[in-house]
mmCIF file of all heavy atoms in Angstrom:
data_model
loop_
_atom_site.group_PDB
_atom_site.id
_atom_site.type_symbol
_atom_site.label_atom_id
_atom_site.label_comp_id
_atom_site.label_asym_id
_atom_site.label_seq_id
_atom_site.Cartn_x
_atom_site.Cartn_y
_atom_site.Cartn_z
ATOM 1 N N ALA A 1 85.995 -93.091 -108.937
ATOM 2 C CA ALA A 1 84.877 -93.964 -108.589
ATOM 3 C C ALA A 1 84.932 -94.434 -107.093
ATOM 4 O O ALA A 1 84.019 -94.463 -106.416
ATOM 5 C CB ALA A 1 84.861 -95.195 -109.551
ATOM 6 N N GLU A 2 86.166 -94.659 -106.724
ATOM 7 C CA GLU A 2 86.417 -95.072 -105.335
ATOM 8 C C GLU A 2 86.144 -94.030 -104.417
ATOM 9 O O GLU A 2 85.532 -94.222 -103.315
ATOM 10 C CB GLU A 2 87.965 -95.503 -105.271
ATOM 11 C CG GLU A 2 88.280 -96.110 -103.818
ATOM 12 C CD GLU A 2 89.696 -96.644 -103.783
ATOM 13 O OE1 GLU A 2 90.398 -96.662 -104.870
ATOM 14 O OE2 GLU A 2 90.126 -97.031 -102.716
ATOM 15 N N ILE A 3 86.483 -92.721 -104.686
ATOM 16 C CA ILE A 3 86.170 -91.612 -103.865
ATOM 17 C C ILE A 3 84.714 -91.368 -103.747
ATOM 18 O O ILE A 3 84.157 -91.171 -102.741
ATOM 19 C CB ILE A 3 86.875 -90.339 -104.410
ATOM 20 C CG1 ILE A 3 88.385 -90.453 -104.262
ATOM 21 C CG2 ILE A 3 86.391 -89.081 -103.633
ATOM 22 C CD1 ILE A 3 89.094 -89.298 -104.941
ATOM 23 N N ILE A 4 83.969 -91.505 -104.894
ATOM 24 C CA ILE A 4 82.568 -91.318 -104.894
ATOM 25 C C ILE A 4 81.846 -92.403 -104.060
ATOM 26 O O ILE A 4 80.929 -91.985 -103.274
ATOM 27 C CB ILE A 4 81.981 -91.363 -106.405
ATOM 28 C CG1 ILE A 4 82.445 -90.134 -107.204
ATOM 29 C CG2 ILE A 4 80.503 -91.445 -106.445
ATOM 30 C CD1 ILE A 4 82.223 -90.262 -108.619
ATOM 31 N N CYS A 5 82.304 -93.633 -104.241
ATOM 32 C CA CYS A 5 81.688 -94.680 -103.421
ATOM 33 C C CYS A 5 81.984 -94.584 -101.909
ATOM 34 O O CYS A 5 81.109 -94.834 -101.063
ATOM 35 C CB CYS A 5 82.222 -96.034 -103.998
ATOM 36 S SG CYS A 5 81.656 -96.416 -105.690
ATOM 37 N N TYR A 6 83.126 -94.035 -101.592
ATOM 38 C CA TYR A 6 83.434 -93.862 -100.224
ATOM 39 C C TYR A 6 82.542 -92.713 -99.625
ATOM 40 O O TYR A 6 81.970 -92.931 -98.514
ATOM 41 C CB TYR A 6 84.928 -93.431 -100.033
ATOM 42 C CG TYR A 6 85.256 -93.151 -98.550
ATOM 43 C CD1 TYR A 6 85.556 -94.108 -97.748
ATOM 44 C CD2 TYR A 6 85.273 -91.803 -98.127
ATOM 45 C CE1 TYR A 6 85.873 -93.830 -96.414
ATOM 46 C CE2 TYR A 6 85.674 -91.530 -96.764
ATOM 47 C CZ TYR A 6 85.945 -92.581 -95.919
ATOM 48 O OH TYR A 6 86.330 -92.351 -94.631
ATOM 49 N N LEU A 7 82.381 -91.660 -100.386
ATOM 50 C CA LEU A 7 81.481 -90.488 -99.939
ATOM 51 C C LEU A 7 80.048 -91.097 -99.830
ATOM 52 O O LEU A 7 79.263 -90.706 -98.896
ATOM 53 C CB LEU A 7 81.510 -89.420 -100.921
ATOM 54 C CG LEU A 7 82.812 -88.628 -100.880
ATOM 55 C CD1 LEU A 7 82.866 -87.518 -101.947
ATOM 56 C CD2 LEU A 7 83.231 -88.025 -99.531
ATOM 57 N N GLY A 8 79.678 -91.891 -100.814
ATOM 58 C CA GLY A 8 78.298 -92.500 -100.729
ATOM 59 C C GLY A 8 78.067 -93.316 -99.458
ATOM 60 O O GLY A 8 77.079 -93.355 -98.867
ATOM 61 N N GLY A 9 79.176 -94.048 -99.073
ATOM 62 C CA GLY A 9 79.081 -94.802 -97.947
ATOM 63 C C GLY A 9 79.009 -94.151 -96.578
ATOM 64 O O GLY A 9 78.636 -94.546 -95.592
ATOM 65 N N CYS A 10 79.321 -92.772 -96.752
ATOM 66 C CA CYS A 10 79.284 -91.870 -95.541
ATOM 67 C C CYS A 10 78.019 -91.225 -95.358
ATOM 68 O O CYS A 10 77.722 -90.623 -94.241
ATOM 69 C CB CYS A 10 80.399 -90.810 -95.668
ATOM 70 S SG CYS A 10 82.087 -91.417 -95.482
ATOM 71 N N THR A 11 77.061 -91.302 -96.362
ATOM 72 C CA THR A 11 75.866 -90.511 -96.345
ATOM 73 C C THR A 11 74.839 -90.866 -95.180
ATOM 74 O O THR A 11 74.158 -90.078 -94.704
ATOM 75 C CB THR A 11 75.065 -90.608 -97.731
ATOM 76 O OG1 THR A 11 74.868 -91.976 -98.035
ATOM 77 C CG2 THR A 11 75.910 -89.893 -98.763
ATOM 78 N N PHE A 12 74.924 -92.275 -94.871
ATOM 79 C CA PHE A 12 73.997 -92.644 -93.701
ATOM 80 C C PHE A 12 74.447 -91.917 -92.397
ATOM 81 O O PHE A 12 73.611 -91.400 -91.730
ATOM 82 C CB PHE A 12 74.188 -94.143 -93.596
ATOM 83 C CG PHE A 12 73.325 -94.777 -92.509
ATOM 84 C CD1 PHE A 12 71.901 -94.664 -92.487
ATOM 85 C CD2 PHE A 12 73.863 -95.404 -91.324
ATOM 86 C CE1 PHE A 12 71.081 -95.221 -91.624
ATOM 87 C CE2 PHE A 12 73.071 -95.908 -90.376
ATOM 88 C CZ PHE A 12 71.682 -95.803 -90.434
ATOM 89 N N GLY A 13 75.672 -91.882 -92.169
ATOM 90 C CA GLY A 13 76.193 -91.204 -90.999
ATOM 91 C C GLY A 13 75.922 -89.721 -91.048
ATOM 92 O O GLY A 13 75.679 -89.071 -90.043
ATOM 93 N N ILE A 14 76.184 -89.140 -92.267
ATOM 94 C CA ILE A 14 75.896 -87.683 -92.408
ATOM 95 C C ILE A 14 74.501 -87.344 -92.148
ATOM 96 O O ILE A 14 74.194 -86.299 -91.447
ATOM 97 C CB ILE A 14 76.280 -87.264 -93.898
ATOM 98 C CG1 ILE A 14 77.789 -87.398 -94.083
ATOM 99 C CG2 ILE A 14 75.831 -85.747 -94.152
ATOM 100 C CD1 ILE A 14 78.209 -87.149 -95.487
ATOM 101 N N TYR A 15 73.555 -88.190 -92.668
ATOM 102 C CA TYR A 15 72.123 -87.982 -92.353
ATOM 103 C C TYR A 15 71.861 -87.993 -90.844
ATOM 104 O O TYR A 15 71.099 -87.161 -90.386
ATOM 105 C CB TYR A 15 71.361 -89.160 -93.045
ATOM 106 C CG TYR A 15 69.849 -88.933 -92.862
ATOM 107 C CD1 TYR A 15 69.037 -88.241 -93.682
ATOM 108 C CD2 TYR A 15 69.192 -89.663 -91.793
ATOM 109 C CE1 TYR A 15 67.695 -88.121 -93.414
ATOM 110 C CE2 TYR A 15 67.871 -89.459 -91.503
ATOM 111 C CZ TYR A 15 67.137 -88.691 -92.412
ATOM 112 O OH TYR A 15 65.778 -88.573 -92.165
ATOM 113 N N LEU A 16 72.454 -88.855 -90.192
ATOM 114 C CA LEU A 16 72.238 -89.107 -88.720
ATOM 115 C C LEU A 16 72.744 -87.927 -87.931
ATOM 116 O O LEU A 16 72.107 -87.467 -86.991
ATOM 117 C CB LEU A 16 72.839 -90.430 -88.215
ATOM 118 C CG LEU A 16 72.289 -91.651 -88.766
ATOM 119 C CD1 LEU A 16 73.023 -92.880 -88.368
ATOM 120 C CD2 LEU A 16 70.786 -91.753 -88.409
ATOM 121 N N ILE A 17 73.978 -87.397 -88.285
ATOM 122 C CA ILE A 17 74.627 -86.431 -87.382
ATOM 123 C C ILE A 17 74.393 -84.975 -87.867
ATOM 124 O O ILE A 17 74.692 -84.076 -87.035
ATOM 125 C CB ILE A 17 76.097 -86.762 -87.331
ATOM 126 C CG1 ILE A 17 76.719 -86.169 -86.096
ATOM 127 C CG2 ILE A 17 76.908 -86.262 -88.606
ATOM 128 C CD1 ILE A 17 78.256 -86.565 -85.769
ATOM 129 N N HIS A 18 73.914 -84.833 -89.076
ATOM 130 C CA HIS A 18 73.799 -83.329 -89.580
ATOM 131 C C HIS A 18 72.930 -82.512 -88.762
ATOM 132 O O HIS A 18 73.134 -81.291 -88.639
ATOM 133 C CB HIS A 18 73.419 -83.437 -91.107
ATOM 134 C CG HIS A 18 71.881 -83.452 -91.196
ATOM 135 N ND1 HIS A 18 71.235 -84.609 -91.222
ATOM 136 C CD2 HIS A 18 70.969 -82.478 -91.360
ATOM 137 C CE1 HIS A 18 69.920 -84.406 -91.420
ATOM 138 N NE2 HIS A 18 69.805 -83.092 -91.525
ATOM 139 N N ALA A 19 71.945 -83.053 -88.134
ATOM 140 C CA ALA A 19 71.014 -82.244 -87.266
ATOM 141 C C ALA A 19 71.722 -81.649 -86.134
ATOM 142 O O ALA A 19 71.374 -80.559 -85.725
ATOM 143 C CB ALA A 19 69.813 -83.093 -86.867
ATOM 144 N N PHE A 20 72.726 -82.333 -85.631
ATOM 145 C CA PHE A 20 73.475 -81.796 -84.438
ATOM 146 C C PHE A 20 74.286 -80.603 -84.960
ATOM 147 O O PHE A 20 74.276 -79.554 -84.180
ATOM 148 C CB PHE A 20 74.450 -82.946 -83.974
ATOM 149 C CG PHE A 20 75.404 -82.490 -83.020
ATOM 150 C CD1 PHE A 20 75.061 -82.118 -81.686
ATOM 151 C CD2 PHE A 20 76.812 -82.355 -83.335
ATOM 152 C CE1 PHE A 20 75.979 -81.613 -80.778
ATOM 153 C CE2 PHE A 20 77.724 -81.997 -82.425
ATOM 154 C CZ PHE A 20 77.352 -81.553 -81.083
ATOM 155 N N PHE A 21 75.016 -80.649 -86.020
ATOM 156 C CA PHE A 21 75.803 -79.568 -86.503
ATOM 157 C C PHE A 21 74.820 -78.448 -86.905
ATOM 158 O O PHE A 21 75.255 -77.234 -86.855
ATOM 159 C CB PHE A 21 76.706 -80.047 -87.570
ATOM 160 C CG PHE A 21 77.839 -80.862 -87.078
ATOM 161 C CD1 PHE A 21 77.816 -82.193 -87.329
ATOM 162 C CD2 PHE A 21 78.862 -80.371 -86.317
ATOM 163 C CE1 PHE A 21 78.914 -83.046 -86.865
ATOM 164 C CE2 PHE A 21 79.867 -81.058 -85.845
ATOM 165 C CZ PHE A 21 79.935 -82.501 -86.049
ATOM 166 N N ARG A 22 73.663 -78.762 -87.479
ATOM 167 C CA ARG A 22 72.847 -77.728 -87.890
ATOM 168 C C ARG A 22 72.328 -76.906 -86.734
ATOM 169 O O ARG A 22 72.286 -75.692 -86.843
ATOM 170 C CB ARG A 22 71.572 -78.398 -88.467
ATOM 171 C CG ARG A 22 70.363 -77.489 -88.718
ATOM 172 C CD ARG A 22 69.185 -78.315 -89.279
ATOM 173 N NE ARG A 22 67.957 -77.516 -89.415
ATOM 174 C CZ ARG A 22 67.028 -77.437 -88.540
ATOM 175 N NH1 ARG A 22 67.180 -77.953 -87.348
ATOM 176 N NH2 ARG A 22 65.978 -76.751 -88.770
ATOM 177 N N ASP A 23 72.123 -77.550 -85.530
ATOM 178 C CA ASP A 23 71.652 -76.826 -84.388
ATOM 179 C C ASP A 23 72.822 -75.968 -83.799
ATOM 180 O O ASP A 23 72.691 -74.873 -83.415
ATOM 181 C CB ASP A 23 71.123 -77.790 -83.421
ATOM 182 C CG ASP A 23 70.337 -77.061 -82.294
ATOM 183 O OD1 ASP A 23 69.296 -76.464 -82.594
ATOM 184 O OD2 ASP A 23 70.893 -77.088 -81.115
ATOM 185 N N ILE A 24 74.002 -76.605 -83.740
ATOM 186 C CA ILE A 24 75.201 -75.941 -83.164
ATOM 187 C C ILE A 24 75.492 -74.703 -83.990
ATOM 188 O O ILE A 24 75.788 -73.669 -83.340
ATOM 189 C CB ILE A 24 76.364 -76.885 -83.183
ATOM 190 C CG1 ILE A 24 76.252 -78.087 -82.183
ATOM 191 C CG2 ILE A 24 77.629 -76.164 -82.877
ATOM 192 C CD1 ILE A 24 76.302 -77.581 -80.701
ATOM 193 N N LEU A 25 75.495 -74.735 -85.302
ATOM 194 C CA LEU A 25 75.782 -73.692 -86.108
ATOM 195 C C LEU A 25 74.649 -72.545 -86.033
ATOM 196 O O LEU A 25 74.989 -71.386 -85.967
ATOM 197 C CB LEU A 25 75.927 -74.024 -87.570
ATOM 198 C CG LEU A 25 77.162 -74.877 -87.872
ATOM 199 C CD1 LEU A 25 77.131 -75.465 -89.318
ATOM 200 C CD2 LEU A 25 78.439 -74.123 -87.737
ATOM 201 N N HIS A 26 73.446 -72.988 -85.882
ATOM 202 C CA HIS A 26 72.326 -72.116 -85.810
ATOM 203 C C HIS A 26 72.460 -71.353 -84.459
ATOM 204 O O HIS A 26 72.165 -70.097 -84.502
ATOM 205 C CB HIS A 26 71.003 -72.886 -85.725
ATOM 206 C CG HIS A 26 69.801 -72.086 -85.473
ATOM 207 N ND1 HIS A 26 69.363 -71.171 -86.271
ATOM 208 C CD2 HIS A 26 68.969 -72.049 -84.374
ATOM 209 C CE1 HIS A 26 68.248 -70.497 -85.718
ATOM 210 N NE2 HIS A 26 67.961 -71.114 -84.603
ATOM 211 N N ARG A 27 72.779 -71.968 -83.466
ATOM 212 C CA ARG A 27 72.992 -71.259 -82.124
ATOM 213 C C ARG A 27 74.202 -70.314 -82.107
ATOM 214 O O ARG A 27 74.187 -69.337 -81.299
ATOM 215 C CB ARG A 27 73.098 -72.339 -81.004
ATOM 216 C CG ARG A 27 71.946 -73.142 -80.661
ATOM 217 C CD ARG A 27 72.072 -74.198 -79.663
ATOM 218 N NE ARG A 27 70.882 -74.932 -79.536
ATOM 219 C CZ ARG A 27 69.882 -74.679 -78.664
ATOM 220 N NH1 ARG A 27 70.014 -73.477 -77.935
ATOM 221 N NH2 ARG A 27 68.812 -75.314 -78.613
ATOM 222 N N ALA A 28 75.107 -70.596 -82.975
ATOM 223 C CA ALA A 28 76.232 -69.664 -83.132
ATOM 224 C C ALA A 28 75.955 -68.560 -84.174
ATOM 225 O O ALA A 28 76.774 -67.645 -84.370
ATOM 226 C CB ALA A 28 77.446 -70.463 -83.634
ATOM 227 N N GLY A 29 74.772 -68.463 -84.654
ATOM 228 C CA GLY A 29 74.366 -67.448 -85.580
ATOM 229 C C GLY A 29 74.619 -67.737 -87.055
ATOM 230 O O GLY A 29 74.419 -66.821 -87.889
ATOM 231 N N PHE A 30 75.121 -68.992 -87.327
ATOM 232 C CA PHE A 30 75.331 -69.254 -88.738
ATOM 233 C C PHE A 30 74.249 -70.097 -89.284
ATOM 234 O O PHE A 30 74.176 -71.363 -89.135
ATOM 235 C CB PHE A 30 76.647 -69.998 -88.813
ATOM 236 C CG PHE A 30 77.141 -70.243 -90.235
ATOM 237 C CD1 PHE A 30 77.691 -69.262 -91.032
ATOM 238 C CD2 PHE A 30 77.096 -71.550 -90.788
ATOM 239 C CE1 PHE A 30 78.123 -69.396 -92.311
ATOM 240 C CE2 PHE A 30 77.455 -71.771 -92.032
ATOM 241 C CZ PHE A 30 78.047 -70.837 -92.838
ATOM 242 N N ASP A 31 73.192 -69.460 -89.856
ATOM 243 C CA ASP A 31 72.035 -70.197 -90.418
ATOM 244 C C ASP A 31 71.571 -69.534 -91.721
ATOM 245 O O ASP A 31 72.378 -68.648 -92.234
ATOM 246 C CB ASP A 31 70.917 -70.219 -89.364
ATOM 247 C CG ASP A 31 70.450 -68.924 -88.957
ATOM 248 O OD1 ASP A 31 70.671 -67.961 -89.702
ATOM 249 O OD2 ASP A 31 69.838 -68.814 -87.861
ATOM 250 N N SER A 32 70.497 -69.864 -92.173
ATOM 251 C CA SER A 32 69.951 -69.361 -93.470
ATOM 252 C C SER A 32 69.803 -67.838 -93.552
ATOM 253 O O SER A 32 69.529 -67.299 -94.550
ATOM 254 C CB SER A 32 68.668 -69.997 -93.800
ATOM 255 O OG SER A 32 67.707 -69.745 -92.860
ATOM 256 N N MET A 33 69.939 -67.156 -92.415
ATOM 257 C CA MET A 33 69.852 -65.676 -92.408
ATOM 258 C C MET A 33 71.099 -65.035 -91.912
ATOM 259 O O MET A 33 71.095 -63.954 -91.446
ATOM 260 C CB MET A 33 68.666 -65.307 -91.488
ATOM 261 C CG MET A 33 67.278 -65.666 -92.074
ATOM 262 S SD MET A 33 65.938 -65.152 -91.054
ATOM 263 C CE MET A 33 65.926 -63.350 -91.196
ATOM 264 N N PHE A 34 72.228 -65.755 -92.121
ATOM 265 C CA PHE A 34 73.442 -65.198 -91.528
ATOM 266 C C PHE A 34 73.953 -63.948 -92.426
ATOM 267 O O PHE A 34 74.797 -63.209 -92.032
ATOM 268 C CB PHE A 34 74.592 -66.237 -91.374
ATOM 269 C CG PHE A 34 75.329 -66.551 -92.662
ATOM 270 C CD1 PHE A 34 76.601 -66.022 -92.953
ATOM 271 C CD2 PHE A 34 74.748 -67.477 -93.629
ATOM 272 C CE1 PHE A 34 77.289 -66.333 -94.100
ATOM 273 C CE2 PHE A 34 75.526 -67.842 -94.746
ATOM 274 C CZ PHE A 34 76.740 -67.162 -94.992
ATOM 275 N N ILE A 35 73.474 -63.963 -93.732
ATOM 276 C CA ILE A 35 73.715 -62.885 -94.529
ATOM 277 C C ILE A 35 72.399 -62.426 -95.123
ATOM 278 O O ILE A 35 71.351 -63.186 -95.053
ATOM 279 C CB ILE A 35 74.661 -63.131 -95.660
ATOM 280 C CG1 ILE A 35 74.186 -64.279 -96.546
ATOM 281 C CG2 ILE A 35 76.111 -63.380 -95.149
ATOM 282 C CD1 ILE A 35 75.109 -64.524 -97.769
ATOM 283 N N ASN A 36 72.202 -61.198 -95.664
ATOM 284 C CA ASN A 36 70.954 -60.766 -96.249
ATOM 285 C C ASN A 36 70.442 -61.547 -97.473
ATOM 286 O O ASN A 36 69.242 -61.736 -97.722
ATOM 287 C CB ASN A 36 71.033 -59.251 -96.578
ATOM 288 C CG ASN A 36 71.236 -58.369 -95.347
ATOM 289 O OD1 ASN A 36 70.767 -58.765 -94.305
ATOM 290 N ND2 ASN A 36 71.895 -57.276 -95.586
ATOM 291 N N ASN A 37 71.416 -62.125 -98.181
ATOM 292 C CA ASN A 37 71.007 -62.844 -99.403
ATOM 293 C C ASN A 37 70.718 -64.288 -99.034
ATOM 294 O O ASN A 37 71.652 -65.099 -99.085
ATOM 295 C CB ASN A 37 72.131 -62.701 -100.456
ATOM 296 C CG ASN A 37 71.727 -63.214 -101.824
ATOM 297 O OD1 ASN A 37 70.752 -64.031 -101.945
ATOM 298 N ND2 ASN A 37 72.275 -62.652 -102.834
#
């Protein structure tokens, strides 16, 4: 329960910063089409 609540407390930050990593990975070729499936 403590781990779940800690992760839950991180979601606000994850929401804010995930767009940055999404773009970085996309520019590196790692996106929804990095494999055929």
